[in-house]
Amino acid sequence: MTVKKIYTTESLASVLDQVRSNKKVVQCHGVFDLLHIGHIRHFKEAKKNGDILIVTVTPDRYVNKGVGRPAFPEQLRLEALAAIDIIDYVALNNWPTAVEAIHLLKPAFYVKGSEYEDSTKDITGKISDEDQAVKDIGGSLVFTHDIVFSSSNLINTHMSSFPEDVQKYLKDFSAEYSSEDVISYLKKASSLNVLIIGETIIDEYNYCDPIGMATKDPILTVRYLTGERFAGGILAVANHISNFTNKVTLISMVGEWDTNEDFIKANLNQNIDPVFFYKKNSPTIIKKRYIDNYLRQKLFEVHVIDDQEIDTEQEFFLKELIEDHLASNDLVIVVDFGHGMLTSRVISTICNYSEFLAVNTQTNSGNRGFNVISKYPRADYVCLNHSEIRLETRNRGDNIEQMITMVSEKMNCNRMLITRGRFGTVCFHNGQDFITTPAFAQQVLDRMGAGDAVISLTSLCEYLNAPANIIGFIANAIASQAVATIGHKSSIEPIPLYKYITSLLK
């Protein structure tokens, strides 16, 4: 009996066409991850508007509430809803929102809870689109007014997958800040003009099956299976930032030959204004990673690179290029990968003329020990990982606060964030206390690129003077999303991030 109530959206449309002639169809839509009494009363009130109640369900792939959500997979959620007598039909939605399903199913009434009545509080901005879709098919948007519970709050309270220290942190943080408080800083960034400077890198992932060792030489032998390319380096930073701001100018270095410029431009967001210069007698940097396809572990890397510093002529050209763009931008973000673009003279220009400067000097296998933050005589905000600050301070110890203080005094920089992987982050602001935030990540597919995502968006929030504890929270929310993605397959986008932040703080 229960199974017969579950349909695809297409087949349900055919069923409704046969029964709707003298009956009014009512549609509810949502994730319904944890069914509770609030849902039951919502369905009862909704059905008072008509004769046939259908419920469409958001599929797992579109539930942007972080790792471990939904708590119940789509098939179980469908079955749970179908077991409720007052619901006549259930269908799995094929799209991120209900707009397409509304056009297909043509309900007389589309019913949402009272929490959606003020469309300005809808972080997805989709309730207005759904309202228009209902009007397009001659229906009406209706709101129920009954007791409201939150599935996310119930899951966070009674079924949390976080360890106790993270649960306590989130409880304490949510008592001080709402999700709206946190998200407001990311939304304010939309008006900023941002200049981004750094090297273009193409990241190539080659998936292989290890075969064994060669018989005559100590060589690991692998069978190539497939591969994919990502816009990495400063391109990834630009894409992250451009999702949250209206205008991004990118100044970057590519190769004079094998530029891969078509690939680069095809993989940059539309609101990025790219300004490239071409390094003489060099290719565009490509980092080829060979990966065990089963374990998803990196086996080795091959770099296509000329990492010598640019010559004097190109250095002069780059300095003038940067100077021409500094005045028209609110802040400058430099991610220095240490491959020859950012010479000491170029760095002096950036440091002397940037009104607000955020910097990361990245340690990687191609520059280890040579690319440290003290290359920059000043910065307004510095974001490093724990290895990078240890290289700078020549300190193998664990006193991270002492290392931060040393670097802060050396650079006269009073805003710093240190990322520490599974140990979370430490944020330092204006001589105030050090703010430690635990890591939120529960699924780590690939750590590559997480630091790029963190400096990208925390730089915007630092420019807007967000409190240190909000910076730490945002950094760890971003990192959690970044490490759940292979390479730079996707950039951090507002709606999924806002939904994840909201879910964490319910």
Side-chain angles (χ1 to χ4, degrees):
M1 186 69 176
T2 299
V3 174
K4 292 181 181 178
K5 293 171 68 172
I6 301 175
Y7 291 84
T8 65
T9 47
E10 291 79 5
S11 60
L12 180 55
S14 299
V15 171
L16 293 177
D17 287 342
Q18 299 171 22
V19 300
R20 78 165 78 237
S21 57
N22 297 313
K23 296 181 178 180
K24 293 181 179 179
V25 174
V26 180
Q27 180 184 355
C28 295
H29 175 82
V31 177
F32 306 113
D33 195 8
L34 182 64
L35 276 175
H36 51 68
I37 189 61
H39 291 140
I40 303 299
R41 294 176 72 160
H42 171 65
F43 296 142
K44 284 184 177 180
E45 190 172 342
K47 194 163 186 179
K48 292 177 183 178
N49 293 282
D51 308 292
I52 299 172
L53 177 61
I54 62 174
V55 179
T56 50
V57 179
T58 304
D60 292 349
R61 64 185 180 277
Y62 293 130
V63 179
N64 297 311
K65 297 185 178 182
V67 177
R69 299 292 304 274
F72 297 94
E74 57 196 37
Q75 185 58 38
L76 292 182
R77 290 184 283 127
L78 290 168
E79 291 178 15
L81 290 164
I84 299 173
D85 289 342
I86 200 170
I87 297 174
D88 296 290
Y89 301 106
V90 181
L92 186 68
N93 195 37
N94 296 328
W95 306 276
T97 74
V99 168
E100 291 86 353
I102 290 168
H103 282 124
L104 188 64
L105 301 175
K106 297 178 174 60
F109 297 96
Y110 180 68
V111 184
K112 297 293 285 184
S114 58
E115 66 270 29
Y116 293 94
E117 200 158 6
D118 183 354
S119 61
T120 62
K121 294 182 179 180
D122 175 27
I123 61 172
T124 68
K126 297 303 181 183
I127 191 65
S128 297
D129 296 338
E130 293 168 354
D131 183 20
Q132 186 59 52
V134 178
K135 290 175 180 175
D136 290 343
I137 53 97
S140 301
L141 174 62
V142 177
F143 298 98
T144 60
H145 298 86
D146 207 322
I147 188 169
V148 176
F149 292 97
S150 164
S151 293
S152 292
N153 177 263
L154 292 170
I155 290 170
N156 289 344
T157 303
H158 302 290
M159 301 173 57
S160 176
S161 57
F162 286 120
E164 287 187 12
D165 63 322
V166 178
Q167 291 183 54
K168 183 180 185 306
Y169 165 82
L170 291 173
K171 182 179 179 180
D172 293 344
F173 186 88
S174 63
E176 186 173 0
Y177 298 102
S178 68
S179 58
E180 290 82 3
D181 294 332
V182 176
I183 293 169
S184 67
Y185 286 97
L186 294 165
K187 287 186 173 180
K188 288 175 188 174
S190 64
S191 63
L192 299 178
N193 294 330
V194 185
L195 175 62
I196 304 170
I197 303 171
E199 288 138 334
T200 288
I201 299 171
I202 295 174
D203 290 307
E204 189 176 289
Y205 276 40
N206 299 288
Y207 302 101
C208 311
D209 274 342
I211 298 173
M213 296 288 290
T215 55
K216 296 181 180 180
D217 298 291
I219 301 172
L220 175 65
T221 304
V222 299
R223 180 188 295 110
Y224 175 82
L225 298 174
T226 188
E228 55 186 336
R229 280 184 158 194
F230 309 121
I234 204 65
L235 307 180
V237 174
N239 280 332
H240 290 310
I241 292 173
S242 66
N243 288 330
F244 292 81
T245 62
N246 292 329
K247 186 175 182 297
V248 173
T249 302
L250 167 65
I251 296 179
S252 186
M253 177 183 77
V254 296
E256 188 176 46
W257 45 270
D258 285 349
T259 63
N260 286 276
E261 200 162 348
D262 289 342
F263 171 85
I264 292 166
K265 290 183 177 178
N267 285 276
L268 282 175
N269 290 343
Q270 292 297 312
N271 60 329
I272 298 172
D273 179 20
V275 182
F276 296 118
F277 78 96
Y278 303 86
K279 187 176 184 182
K280 295 177 183 177
N281 303 315
S282 301
T284 293
I285 300 169
I286 302 176
K287 295 186 177 181
K288 303 183 178 186
R289 296 171 173 87
Y290 291 81
I291 298 164
D292 184 315
N293 188 58
Y294 178 71
L295 297 175
R296 295 290 162 138
Q297 291 180 346
K298 297 180 181 72
L299 302 172
F300 57 91
E301 291 188 10
V302 176
H303 290 188
V304 179
I305 190 172
D306 169 17
D307 57 0
Q308 297 301 306
E309 286 193 347
I310 56 176
D311 64 24
T312 304
E313 180 184 353
Q314 288 201 304
E315 182 183 61
F316 180 79
F317 172 78
L318 179 56
K319 287 173 58 182
E320 287 201 325
L321 190 62
I322 291 171
E323 286 179 16
D324 288 343
H325 286 86
L326 286 174
S328 59
N329 288 276
D330 298 303
L331 70 154
V332 179
I333 300 174
V334 176
V335 180
D336 185 342
F337 296 93
H339 297 315
M341 173 183 171
L342 295 164
T343 66
S344 59
R345 292 186 180 90
V346 172
I347 289 170
S348 293
T349 297
I350 295 170
C351 291
N352 289 337
Y353 299 109
S354 297
E355 184 175 342
F356 185 96
L357 175 62
V359 180
N360 164 249
T361 48
Q362 194 163 117
T363 296
N364 54 59
S365 58
N367 68 27
R368 191 169 183 84
F370 295 96
N371 199 43
V372 291
I373 195 64
S374 56
K375 291 168 56 178
Y376 291 78
R378 66 158 284 264
D380 298 285
Y381 171 55
V382 166
C383 182
L384 302 171
N385 70 31
H386 59 103
S387 297
E388 289 158 353
I389 196 169
R390 285 194 174 113
L391 280 171
E392 171 60 43
T393 58
R394 306 297 189 269
N395 188 334
R396 294 190 183 204
D398 292 324
N399 192 334
I400 195 74
E401 295 181 3
Q402 183 180 6
M403 288 185 271
I404 291 172
T405 301
M406 288 174 61
V407 174
S408 172
E409 291 176 352
K410 181 186 291 187
M411 299 183 66
N412 193 27
C413 176
N414 291 323
R415 301 181 185 194
M416 296 185 66
L417 179 78
I418 307 301
T419 61
R420 302 187 299 159
R422 64 190 177 91
F423 298 108
T425 59
V426 178
C427 193
F428 173 73
H429 259 206
N430 303 321
Q432 299 172 2
D433 291 340
F434 295 89
I435 304 297
T436 301
T437 306
F440 304 152
Q442 296 174 284
Q443 177 182 331
V444 179
L445 292 180
D446 190 0
R447 292 177 296 173
M448 197 273 288
D452 299 335
V454 169
I455 186 174
S456 298
L457 302 187
T458 57
S459 295
L460 305 179
C461 297
E462 287 285 4
Y463 176 81
L464 294 167
N465 290 312
N469 40 7
I470 285 184
I471 296 288
F473 177 90
I474 289 174
N476 287 16
I478 293 164
S480 179
Q481 290 199 322
V483 298
T485 301
I486 294 293
H488 294 294
K489 187 184 289 286
S490 60
S491 54
I492 303 297
E493 296 184 356
I495 299 307
L497 179 59
Y498 297 165
K499 292 178 73 173
Y500 180 46
I501 289 171
T502 302
S503 174
L504 287 171
L505 297 180
K506 278 193 173 179

